[in-house]
Each structure stands twice: as C-alpha cells, then as structure tokens.
Amino acid sequence: MPILQQIQGRLGYLPREAMLEVAEFLNIPEMDVYSVVTFYNQFRLNPPGKHSVRVCLGTACHMKGGYIILDAWKRRLGIDRGETTPDREFDLDTVACVGCCAMAPVTVIDDGVEGKTSPTRVDGILLSYQLQKDEKNKESQ
Amino acid sequence: MTVAVLPSVASAFQELRSRALSRWRELWDSGKPVITVGTATCGRAAGAVGVLQAIRDELDSNGRDASVIEVGCMGHCYAEPLVTIAKPGYPPMAYGYVTPEIARRLVRDFVAGDDPCLEFALGALEQNDLIPSIYDLPRFNYEKHILLENCGRINPEDVDHYIAKGGYEALANVLGMQPQEIVEEVRRSGLRGRGGAGFPTGQKWEICRSSPSRAKYLICNGDEGDPGAFMDRAILESDPHSVLEGMLIAGYATGARRGYIYVRAEYPLAVCRVETALRQARHLGLLGRNILGSDFSFDIKLFQGSGAFVCGEETALIASIEGKPGVPHHRPPFPATKGLHGKPTVINNVKTLAYVPRIVKNGAPWFASMGTERSKGTAVFALAGKVINTGLTEVPMGTTLRQIIFEVGGGIPKGKRFKAVQIGGPSGGCLPESALDLPVDFDSLREAGAMMGSGGMVVLDEDDCMVEVARYFLEFTQRESCGKCTLCRLGTRHMLEILEDITRGRAQVEDLNTLAELAEDIKAGSLCGLGKTAPNPVLTTLRYFRDEYEAHIKEGRCPALMCLDLIAYYILPDKCERSCDACVGTCTVEAISENKKRIKVIDQEKCVKCGTCLDACPPQYNAVIKLSPPDRVPATG
C-alpha cells in the first residue's frame, strides 16, 4: 500500500507497468496488487487531467438532480466517469458526498466547491476554463 | 458527584483558563467591532472565502480596524455565507446570503457608518429592544443546542476560544476522580451511541474499563459515510476541541492510553482543523504525557480514511487502521473486549464523545432530563433535500418529525406537497406522511422500519420517485459492499437489477415478491450493519409506496415524473409564446427548434431530458411539461 501510494503521489496514477514492477519486487502475484488497487477508491488506473471534476452523488445531490449534472459533464467532455479527456485537461469522477448537501447539487472542481450547479452552469464553467487557457496561450505567444 | 480537583491540576488549568479568558475579553470588549465569517465547507461552497476577502479589503480601504475571525457552521446552511457583526452600541447581528458586494456594503454602512443594514439581516443574535432577534423564529422553540453550542461562535482554530467558553474544565475536574465514577456518571446520564445503533455508552466503557488488559485503545469514529449526513463534519470543523476533550475523558475513564481519530479523506477541511486542534492541545499540555501535570498520559493520532463506506462499521474500521483492507469480521468478540491489535477498544462516534464533556460538567441528571424514556439528550439532524431551511438542527429526543421538518426546516419549498422523509442514509428508510407525528428516538424509528443512523434527514416532495430513491440507495450499498458475505455481494446486485428494470418499465409484478424475499435473505445472511440494513430503503418504500412500484410496472408510468426512461418533455403548443425563445437558447443539445407557426418543438430523439428548458420557460407561459409514459407525446406534424 505505501509503495502504491508513493507511486501515485509521483505519477498521479498507477500505470500497468508500475503495478507489474511492484508485484515482481514484492514477489507476490500481479493479481494481488491489482486487487488492492481496485479495492480502495483513492487509487486510479488512468492519468489524471489538469483539472479534476467530481460530481457529488450524495442523497441530497441525487434528489436535486446530480445525475443530470453528471450527464451534462459526460456529454460536454465526451468521457465517462473515471476517465480523462484525450487532451488531459479534465478528468471526471463521482464522489459519494462532500458534506455540503445544503448546496445540492454540488460539483467539486479541483479544490473549489461549486454549489447549485445546473446543466447551463456546466457550460459556463467549461467556458471560463477555456477563456483562461486562451489567455495563457496569448501570453505565452 | 463529588469533585475533588487535584490542586496541581487545578492551578495548571486555572493558568490556561485565565489567559484564555483575558484573550477572549480583549476580543469582545476592546471596543473594536468583531466580524465573523462562517468558513466551514458549506460556507466555502457558497463563497465564504470571497466574502472574507471582500471584508478585509473594504476594511483596509476604509481605514477601519476590526477583528475578523473565521468560525465554523452555525447550522443555518441555507443562508450561507453567513456573517455576524458585533459592534459596540448595537446588538450582535447575523447576516445571511452574503455576497462580496453585500459584505462591502456591510463594512461601509455598518462597521464604518451606523446603518445596521437590516435589509440583509437575519436578525440579532441576542434578545434586545431594537432589532428582532433570530431567536424569535419558531424553530428556536424546538431547538436545543448542546453539541452545536459553540459551532459558529468560536474560532475552531483557536484553543483559547474553546477554553474561554468553559472548555477543558470537565477534563480538569475528571482527573481528580476515579475512572469508575466517570463511567457510572455517563451510564446514569443514559447516553446512547450516536453512530446509529444506540448502544449505551456507559455500558461499552464499563466492559473496556473492567478488562484486565494493560493496553487499551480508544477510537473516535468520524468516518461519516452516509451520503446526506454532515453533522460530524460540521462538529469537527466548527468545534474540534470538544471532541478531543471527550476523547481524553473517555480515555481516562476506560484506561486507554492511545486514541485514534478516524476522519474521512473526503473532508479535507475537517482533517486540517483536527490537526490544528491536536497541535494546540499538545502545546498546552492538554494532550500527551502527564496531562495538566497529573499522572494521566494520553495521545491522539489522526487517521485518514481511504474512501470506503463499510469502514464506518467498527470492525472494518479497526481493520483499516491496522493497515488491512476494510473488511468487517464476525462479532462477538466485540471490539470492547478484543479490538485494535487484539486489545480492548472503545469506538465512539464524534457526537457521542462531544456530549461527554457536557455531561461531566452539567451532571448526569441534567442530560437525563432531556429526551424520552429510553433515549436521552438531544439528536442532531442534517436537514437536506426539498426543505426550505437546509442545514443542521439539534432538538431534544422525542421531537416529532413534523416539528423538525415544518417548524425547524420551514416546510417544503415552492408550495409542493410533502411525500416522504428519508432518515438514516442507505441503512435507514423512507417514512411517509402518516409517520410524521412519530416522536423521534432510537426505538420509535426502528419500529417504523427506518433507523436513526447518523442522523441524515433528506426530505422528498411530490417530484421525487420512491422507486428511484430505493434504487439510488441500493446502488450505493451494492457498490460499497466489501464482498465478504455472499448474500450481501450477490443479493444486492440482484435487487439492484430488478429495481433498474422497474425504473425502465421492463419489470413484472412478480419481481416485487422476489425483491421482498431477497431483502429478507440479505438481512439474515450478512455479518455487518451494511448488509443487515441495506434492504431497508427498499422494504420501507415497498411498504408505504407500493402503488408507485405498481405504476412503473403495470403502466410504464413514473408518477413523480422522475425516471428518465419513463418520461418525455413536451412543449404545449397552445401555451408556447411565439415571440419567446428562452428554451431554444438554453437547450444543451440543441434539440428544440421552431416549427412554421413559430411554436417550439422538442426533437425527442435528441432530447437528453435534462430539464433545462422547463426551468427556462418563463412562468407566465409554463409551456414545458413532463409526460409519463413517454408515448403520451402527440406525434408532431
């Protein structure tokens, strides 16, 4: 576990090669490594995006339409939960509950909590990131 | 209770206390205005950090001096971000729904000027002759704050604030008592574990205390995994020292010398504030070796959960601290006899431990005077869902659901009709309107088929589909099932498949019987609380809302218009206004177009049923409706 946590800390995820190496190093079956990695929610098997998008699907968020928000993100980013966009800008996942049910439905983007999200708000958030990126590109040119 | 405080302890504590008190008085009596901003996670989600910045900037640009402190959550989450301003000459005021712009105005007009900006105020925080107080609101007739006493009133990152409010006094008193006396005091108070099951705390402590083992452990369970519950988070973020003090007293009483506080990794702010609290307590000699100069030593370590619901179960939690996968094992032996590393271990919930200092300070009879026959004290609920005043509330046990939802919670928004209340998270159940006059305590809820759980309360209105609710919870427990017991692993999966079929209109009536049978089997054949209670949401909804299940199966109709596969959005041609195109622009998939008469039409093939058009349609037209079953949409020409 600590080895895997360190690898993930450095690479941001656990590539297949790394898991194979860990198994060989510890002299345990590859399957055991894989089972630990998949048991705990904190490990991920694909590289993270620059920004992480976490849609809360706690009870309150669900009842207030969290699943519709998740659909909106999926549609806009073109990926399923647990995946990363091909340009590695965003990765999308769900979270059981971030504990601010009063603000439902909630999306957590990087470290910021976005309360009362709606499908149109999703577009707004994406647009603001796009604008930020454009600005950065302009500066670097 | 005889209290013989050890002289050395008393003088050590007196020193801490007088320092804390003088700092506290300095803060409030210096003549400077005191501004507090609630920056717990809920406040932050609403933008409290921006508000805080705006206040600081505006104070600077006005050249005003004021003490700005960050506090925790007062429980009024619906009104976040919440700001209070105490200015000499005025009663302390609370302001809700504060934006950075409002914050600037508050500073300009109230702090710098003399207009208390009543248009933004929730009310005064004290009874006074000038301004109506928030305590005049009907909810305060029902509420009784014990655990939430300090929440939102002190800076959780400053131990002196807690001490000034009477904190750690109970610890100082306890150190002169026999452990047995303390256990007896807690037993007499009638305190029952607030983790959900309601096991008498005193009894648990006694088992551990009387064990001859030299090594004993104490664990504070802050793995609040129930989606919809957030009171443990609020307490850890707003008043972490009360939990630490409870742990210290519990450690002294049971003979444990090491404690763990297990907090979910999903609560980064709570983790951070507990760490700060531990550091400060250690610095003041309230934690570690020879606490307050006595011969009692106790240290607490923070342990971060790795994101597994089942780890809230005590044996799984222990396995997780031991570094193994969080899989529960058979009880007995109970952790109180054989727990962490095989030693006697007391595991108490955050709230249970936070009650302890208050019980010691005010005495068992005080605590036992509140509540019902068999459930003493107060209960903290997290109100969420379709209720006006979402947030935390603390009421004496025995308060009815109706009082909590309609008086404290303010009822259902938008004039909708109440349908059910879901209590206790995935392990609890949904109670219908007929159960609203039930006095809430551990036993009455269990009889009704729900359970106290950790106290999450999600209110559902007529737009919520009960089958979908049951499906949602089962999906959750199915995913979180650790896989040890066959019935839980496979049974929940089978139930989930049936429920999914129902929400898609593909099920048979016989499936309902299979569901009920499976539910009983899973209850009987699972080791831990997760499996034993997983079918509760299904069983209670089947019991109280069977007609909704039948509508899905027999008519392919979702009465609450919620199951996406069974509904369609439709624009009523005679209500749609030609000159308006609000829906066209907002549609996220460009499924709405105009026909020749400039009436808007939804392309059912393209529609993803997100509901944006329904919100966008101006209320004077109200042309967008939901239909179920979807084939009720007339063919377009």
Side-chain angles (χ1 to χ4, degrees):
Chain A
M1 275 259 303
I3 301 179
L4 293 171
Q5 275 168 342
Q6 271 187 20
I7 298 175
Q8 173 146 323
R10 200 164 301 169
L11 300 180
Y13 75 116
L14 296 168
R16 189 186 157 86
E17 291 74 21
M19 287 193 285
L20 291 175
E21 217 159 287
V22 170
E24 198 179 328
F25 176 75
L26 296 173
N27 203 15
I28 54 171
E30 289 151 20
M31 205 199 78
D32 283 0
V33 178
Y34 188 71
S35 79
V36 170
V37 170
T38 47
F39 184 90
Y40 285 104
N41 292 344
Q42 76 179 103
F43 295 118
R44 50 180 306 136
L45 296 166
N46 51 2
K50 214 181 274 168
H51 305 289
S52 80
V53 177
R54 302 273 172 276
V55 182
C56 180
L57 285 186
T59 317
C61 289
H62 180 80
M63 295 328 294
K64 287 206 169 177
Y67 57 100
I68 290 174
I69 306 304
L70 179 64
D71 274 352
W73 283 107
K74 279 189 196 166
R75 196 160 54 234
R76 285 295 179 250
L77 298 175
I79 51 174
D80 210 340
R81 59 161 95 161
E83 292 179 355
T84 307
T85 48
D87 61 1
R88 293 208 184 170
E89 278 293 319
F90 296 95
D91 63 77
L92 179 64
D93 214 336
T94 57
V95 54
C97 181
V98 285
C100 13
C101 311
M103 309 294 304
V106 171
T107 305
V108 186
I109 300 154
D110 296 331
D111 292 325
V113 181
E114 188 79 41
K116 302 191 174 157
T117 33
S118 65
T120 35
R121 181 80 193 116
V122 168
D123 291 350
I125 295 167
L126 279 175
L127 188 68
S128 75
Y129 277 100
Q130 189 58 43
L131 289 177
Q132 268 176 28
K133 208 179 137 194
D134 288 351
E135 225 156 79
K136 256 185 221 153
N137 286 347
K138 243 184 238 163
E139 274 168 29
S140 60
Q141 268 164 14
Chain B
M1 188 167 61
T2 51
V3 181
V5 188
L6 296 177
S8 60
V9 170
S11 67
F13 180 70
Q14 208 46 52
E15 203 176 301
L16 289 181
R17 177 143 193 197
S18 51
R19 200 176 61 96
L21 275 176
S22 71
R23 279 197 55 211
W24 180 254
R25 276 194 213 111
E26 204 181 303
L27 173 67
W28 295 100
D29 301 343
S30 67
K32 270 198 294 182
V34 182
I35 305 175
T36 71
V37 182
T39 54
T41 306
C42 39
R44 285 176 187 223
V49 176
V51 168
L52 188 66
Q53 197 53 48
I55 291 178
R56 292 216 165 108
D57 290 348
E58 194 65 30
L59 282 171
D60 279 349
S61 61
N62 279 290
R64 285 285 165 163
D65 196 13
S67 315
V68 181
I69 53 176
E70 291 183 46
V71 296
C73 173
M74 287 177 86
H76 300 273
C77 300
Y78 58 94
E80 295 280 4
L82 205 79
V83 172
T84 74
I85 300 178
K87 186 181 171 181
Y90 293 89
M93 299 288 297
Y95 300 90
Y97 314 97
V98 178
T99 61
E101 292 71 42
I102 296 181
R104 280 178 214 279
R105 266 199 64 188
L106 288 175
V107 171
R108 265 198 314 270
D109 295 352
F110 187 29
V111 179
D114 49 14
D115 169 18
C117 298
L118 290 178
E119 63 270 38
F120 305 121
L122 292 176
L125 287 168
E126 273 171 14
Q127 302 282 8
N128 64 84
D129 301 332
L130 282 173
I131 299 162
S133 148
I134 58 169
Y135 297 105
D136 297 334
L137 294 175
R139 64 181 288 168
F140 288 95
N141 292 339
Y142 299 98
E143 284 192 295
K144 176 140 187 85
H145 285 186
I146 298 175
L147 290 183
L148 302 180
E149 183 187 14
N150 288 333
C151 293
R153 304 191 172 257
I154 60 170
N155 180 352
E157 299 193 355
D158 192 335
V159 60
D160 282 343
H161 284 198
Y162 180 66
I163 296 178
K165 293 286 251 175
Y168 287 111
E169 192 186 335
L171 174 73
N173 290 343
V174 149
L175 292 176
M177 290 162 69
Q178 289 299 318
Q180 214 165 335
E181 287 177 74
I182 303 160
V183 175
E184 179 59 21
E185 187 74 10
V186 171
R187 198 191 57 71
R188 279 201 300 135
S189 75
L191 176 64
R192 290 171 69 175
R194 292 302 196 260
F199 191 81
T201 307
Q203 202 176 328
K204 201 185 243 182
W205 287 14
E206 180 56 28
I207 297 171
C208 185
R209 191 199 65 79
S210 57
S211 155
S213 168
R214 283 193 59 210
K216 292 172 190 175
Y217 295 98
L218 176 83
I219 299 174
C220 169
N221 186 349
D223 189 50
E224 187 176 49
D226 286 9
F230 50 91
M231 58 289 278
D232 290 359
R233 170 185 69 74
I235 291 171
L236 289 171
E237 283 176 3
S238 312
D239 195 12
H241 284 285
S242 68
V243 182
L244 298 191
E245 189 182 0
M247 288 182 75
L248 282 159
I249 296 170
Y252 183 76
T254 56
R257 291 295 172 263
R258 280 217 75 131
Y260 290 89
I261 179 160
Y262 191 103
V263 184
R264 293 176 77 201
E266 285 92 333
Y267 289 171
L269 187 66
V271 167
C272 161
R273 290 206 166 147
V274 168
E275 264 169 1
T276 309
L278 286 172
R279 204 167 49 238
Q280 290 173 344
R282 210 168 278 134
H283 178 73
L284 293 183
L286 292 163
L287 193 63
R289 294 183 69 80
N290 301 95
I291 290 165
L292 289 171
S294 70
D295 52 7
F296 172 57
S297 300
F298 187 82
D299 210 345
I300 300 174
K301 222 174 132 176
L302 177 81
F303 192 94
Q304 280 193 49
S306 44
F309 177 64
V310 71
C311 286
E313 204 279 336
E314 49 185 25
T315 57
L317 190 145
I318 289 172
S320 172
I321 291 183
E322 287 171 346
K324 299 180 206 149
V327 178
H329 68 70
H330 197 272
R331 296 180 302 177
F334 284 91
T337 49
K338 195 163 176 285
L340 187 62
H341 303 305
K343 305 292 184 225
T345 305
V346 167
I347 300 191
N348 281 144
N349 176 266
V350 169
K351 291 176 289 291
T352 318
L353 287 166
Y355 277 118
V356 169
R358 279 115 186 179
I359 292 175
V360 170
K361 209 158 79 183
N362 300 315
W366 163 80
F367 192 78
S369 71
M370 289 174 284
T372 58
E373 181 68 34
R374 298 191 51 222
S375 304
K376 299 297 184 194
T378 56
V380 184
F381 288 104
L383 269 176
K386 307 282 179 64
V387 60
I388 291 174
N389 300 335
T390 51
L392 287 182
T393 176
E394 184 170 8
V395 292
M397 291 273 189
T399 308
T400 66
L401 284 170
R402 191 184 296 279
Q403 286 165 338
I404 296 175
I405 295 168
F406 287 93
E407 302 293 337
V408 177
I412 316 289
K414 297 183 202 155
K416 300 264 182 176
R417 216 162 49 82
F418 171 87
K419 185 185 239 173
V421 54
Q422 207 285 340
I423 304 175
S427 320
C430 294
L431 299 179
E433 188 158 12
S434 61
L436 271 184
D437 290 308
L438 201 71
V440 175
D441 68 20
F442 288 105
D443 308 298
S444 66
L445 283 181
R446 191 162 306 159
E447 268 163 41
M451 71 186 255
M452 193 84 141
S454 55
M457 202 178 259
V458 181
V459 181
L460 309 173
D461 70 8
E462 53 190 308
D463 292 339
D464 295 316
C465 169
M466 302 314 290
V467 184
E468 170 58 24
V469 172
R471 190 204 62 77
Y472 164 76
F473 282 114
L474 211 68
E475 186 185 11
F476 180 82
T477 34
Q478 195 273 324
R479 201 170 54 230
E480 293 293 338
S481 168
C482 72
K484 184 165 174 159
C485 310
T486 319
L487 279 162
C488 172
R489 186 180 66 235
L490 300 176
T492 53
R493 167 135 234 155
H494 193 168
M495 282 175 76
L496 180 62
E497 278 165 10
I498 296 178
L499 286 170
E500 274 172 358
D501 279 349
I502 297 177
T503 57
R504 296 204 173 115
R506 292 194 308 229
Q508 313 296 322
V509 181
E510 300 85 76
D511 287 340
L512 289 184
N513 297 333
T514 321
L515 260 187
E517 266 172 47
L518 274 168
E520 294 303 331
D521 291 346
I522 295 170
K523 275 190 154 186
S526 304
L527 270 183
C528 80
L530 191 147
K532 278 198 207 330
T533 58
N536 280 353
V538 178
L539 285 175
T540 49
T541 47
L542 260 181
R543 181 162 139 198
Y544 299 116
F545 301 98
R546 198 179 172 98
D547 51 329
E548 285 200 22
Y549 280 84
E550 284 171 355
H552 280 78
I553 297 172
K554 290 183 187 157
E555 305 164 42
R557 180 173 66 91
C558 176
L561 303 174
M562 190 180 183
C563 297
L564 292 186
D565 285 295
L566 300 183
I567 60 163
Y569 282 86
Y570 177 63
I571 299 175
L572 293 167
D574 46 342
K575 280 202 174 176
C576 182
E577 168 60 43
R578 285 169 198 209
S579 59
C580 159
D581 57 359
C583 54
V584 180
T586 54
C587 180
T588 52
V589 289
E590 288 156 21
I592 304 180
S593 55
E594 279 180 5
N595 67 9
K596 284 177 208 140
K597 294 180 205 148
R598 301 195 58 197
I599 299 295
K600 269 58 72 179
V601 178
I602 300 176
D603 181 345
Q604 298 295 338
E605 294 284 305
K606 277 192 188 167
C607 176
V608 291
K609 300 171 186 173
C610 68
T612 310
C613 49
L614 197 140
D615 294 334
C617 189
Q620 64 267 39
Y621 307 137
N622 251 339
V624 183
I625 55 162
K626 293 195 256 187
L627 290 175
S628 179
D631 51 26
R632 282 182 54 209
V633 175
T636 44

